[in-house]
Amino acid sequence: MASQSAIGIHDLSFATTEFVLPHTALAAHNGTDIGKYHLGIGQHSMSVAAADEDVVTLAAAAAEPLIARHGTDRIRTVVFATESSIDQAKSAGVYVHSLLGMPSYTRVVELKQACYGATAALQFAIGLVHRDPEQQVLVIASDVSKYELDSPGEATQGAAAVALLVGKDPALVRIDGPSGLFTADVMDFWRPNYRESALVDGQESITAYLQAVEGTWKDYTEQGGQALDAFSAFCYHQPFTKMAHKAHHHLLSTCGYDTDAVDVKRLIGRTTAYNAVVGNSYTASMYLGLAALLDHPEDLTDQDVGFFSYGSGSVAEFFAGRVVPGYRKHLRTEQHREAIDRRGTLDYAAYRELHERSFPTDGGDHPTPVQTTGSFRLAALRGHKRIYERR
Ligand code: COA
């Protein structure tokens, strides 16, 4: 049990796109009252990928600082979680492995279960570290969220990647205790192989999400988990930030608490700052919430955080983590703020043009326009192969 409590997240870094679309521009285009976006769903802007960015370039940008700080010697596994996959066979993680110059003695694999994939990756990583505590696992969650133009989902797009280094004696968060699990076969959100944008039944997805909150909590309790008031903060999956508040209200009333008497804003508010301006980053979303919580000035040393991870379709998990003494020394708060602040603002027409872009499927040589100023870019699609470059 002693070794079990000493495994978790040793380092965390995130990256987002070259561009951003403010919700004011979307509201001006479609005539929506901005209050619906700012208050109703809790979103202010969304990251938009440049023509030469994708889940691989975002992932490499997120993971590069971890490799620079810790090297690659102990990383024998890379798990890449995404639901905006670029290939049906090859793991996007293999491109990242190559871009980061990682050694050949590495296993690399891609995982998928909608927005839940990164939590499966984290749990599998913890299992691998138990087996050999000298090893570390690089978990990367990377997604570009894309819904149809002029659909209700359009306002909840976004894009980001989070890289987590998982190992023993973690410097940030120990993952402790049991998990509460919940799976139900529902069609709230899905993307058939032939489609670029997801299909979603928005209201159904909110209902399914709230059922999963109840289901995971019931199982967590039955597995001997902690009481609800043991937690100082909760990181929820945030398809839009208001969802985290809805979810926690639901959990409180399920558990018989008076929701007016509990300071929900205090328990959730510190996790939403990045998601509110990045938008939905699918697999990365809950871990972006963790980044915001850790980067928040309030000290969390030795405090317990509850995590609720949800992936449509649906699979969900509730688990707990304890923030490690000294964690502040290892944070990347400046880098995270810079990743958000450096984005160039698009007008609605430029966003629409990027949204509608897709590569020809003829196998020809198709260079991409140079747009990103980041370290990694998708340079071309040539003979059906994606060509990446590192600057
Ligand atoms: N000022 C303040 N709030 C306003 C408002 C205004 N002018 N106009 C509307 N609102 C509120 C609504 O009351 C509602 O709040 P509530 O849910 O607390 O009742 C909220 O804004 C959203 O309005 P709604 O009419 O439900 O929006 P919508 O039909 O455009 O759908 C989503 C919203 C999130 C369902 C839609 O964006 C979507 O499908 N997103 C993708 C799927 C997703 O994110 N699912 C989540 C689970 S994974």
Side-chain angles (χ1 to χ4, degrees), residues 2-11 70 74-75 122 125-138 164-175 324 330:
S3 68
Q4 195 169 14
S5 60
I7 296 177
I9 301 170
H10 190 52
D11 200 353
H70 306 277
R74 293 174 58 192
I75 304 173
L122 173 63
I126 290 169
L128 285 168
V129 177
H130 267 297
R131 188 171 158 197
D132 177 359
E134 292 316 306
Q135 292 187 24
Q136 295 174 326
V137 179
L138 178 60
L164 308 172
L165 189 64
V166 179
K168 71 169 182 178
D169 301 329
L172 299 181
V173 180
R174 282 169 21 200
I175 304 300
V324 172
H330 306 275

Side-chain angles (χ1 to χ4, degrees), residues 33 35-36 40-41 147 152-153 156 200 202-203 205 239-240 242 246 310:
D33 181 334
K36 173 172 172 178
I41 61 172
Y147 296 100
T156 58
V200 63
Q203 297 310 329
S205 73
F240 51 98
K242 184 80 177 290
K246 276 180 190 291
Y310 175 79

Side-chain angles (χ1 to χ4, degrees), residues 31-289:
T32 297
D33 181 334
I34 194 63
K36 173 172 172 178
Y37 294 151
H38 286 175
L39 302 172
I41 61 172
Q43 291 303 129
H44 288 256
S45 59
M46 54 199 192
S47 286
V48 179
D52 50 353
E53 290 179 317
D54 68 4
V55 290
V56 168
T57 63
L58 293 176
E64 187 184 32
L66 303 193
I67 302 294
R69 186 184 280 178
H70 306 277
T72 55
D73 291 355
R74 293 174 58 192
I75 304 173
R76 291 182 61 81
T77 305
V78 177
V79 191
F80 193 108
T82 187
E83 63 180 287
S84 38
S85 158
I86 50 159
D87 195 290
Q88 295 297 321
K90 179 165 174 157
S91 165
V94 175
Y95 295 108
V96 176
H97 174 274
S98 164
L99 284 168
L100 297 179
M102 297 183 74
S104 60
Y105 53 79
T106 318
R107 67 166 76 80
V108 183
V109 70
E110 185 169 310
L111 281 188
K112 176 179 67 187
Q113 176 32 57
C115 304
Y116 168 73
T119 296
L122 173 63
Q123 297 295 348
F124 298 164
I126 290 169
L128 285 168
V129 177
H130 267 297
R131 188 171 158 197
D132 177 359
E134 292 316 306
Q135 292 187 24
Q136 295 174 326
V137 179
L138 178 60
V139 168
I140 308 176
S142 183
D143 269 303
V144 175
S145 152
K146 204 168 171 187
Y147 296 100
E148 298 259 3
L149 291 171
D150 304 318
S151 71
E154 185 179 17
T156 58
Q157 298 174 111
V162 175
L164 308 172
L165 189 64
V166 179
K168 71 169 182 178
D169 301 329
L172 299 181
V173 180
R174 282 169 21 200
I175 304 300
D176 285 330
S179 281
L181 303 173
F182 182 81
T183 289
D185 184 4
V186 286
M187 293 303 281
D188 58 332
F189 168 107
W190 67 108
R191 183 169 68 87
N193 285 349
Y194 49 83
R195 284 184 62 100
E196 286 212 3
S197 57
L199 293 161
V200 63
D201 180 339
Q203 297 310 329
E204 169 71 15
S205 73
I206 293 172
T207 306
Y209 182 119
L210 296 178
Q211 276 170 357
V213 168
E214 255 177 83
T216 53
W217 181 257
K218 181 172 179 292
D219 188 49
Y220 179 72
T221 306
E222 286 168 7
Q223 297 296 318
Q226 306 186 69
L228 200 57
D229 42 23
F231 296 100
S232 303
F234 292 84
C235 278
Y236 283 91
H237 168 52
Q238 295 172 38
F240 51 98
T241 64
K242 184 80 177 290
M243 190 67 223
H245 291 267
K246 276 180 190 291
H248 201 62
H249 270 280
H250 188 74
L251 183 57
L252 286 167
S253 40
T254 302
C255 296
Y257 285 84
D258 173 1
T259 50
D260 292 334
V262 181
D263 191 354
V264 177
K265 195 161 183 287
R266 194 184 138 60
L267 294 166
I268 308 298
R270 288 169 288 171
T271 70
T272 58
Y274 296 149
N275 283 285
V277 293
V278 164
N280 192 358
S281 54
Y282 291 162
T283 52
S285 154
M286 189 183 79
Y287 298 94
L288 218 57

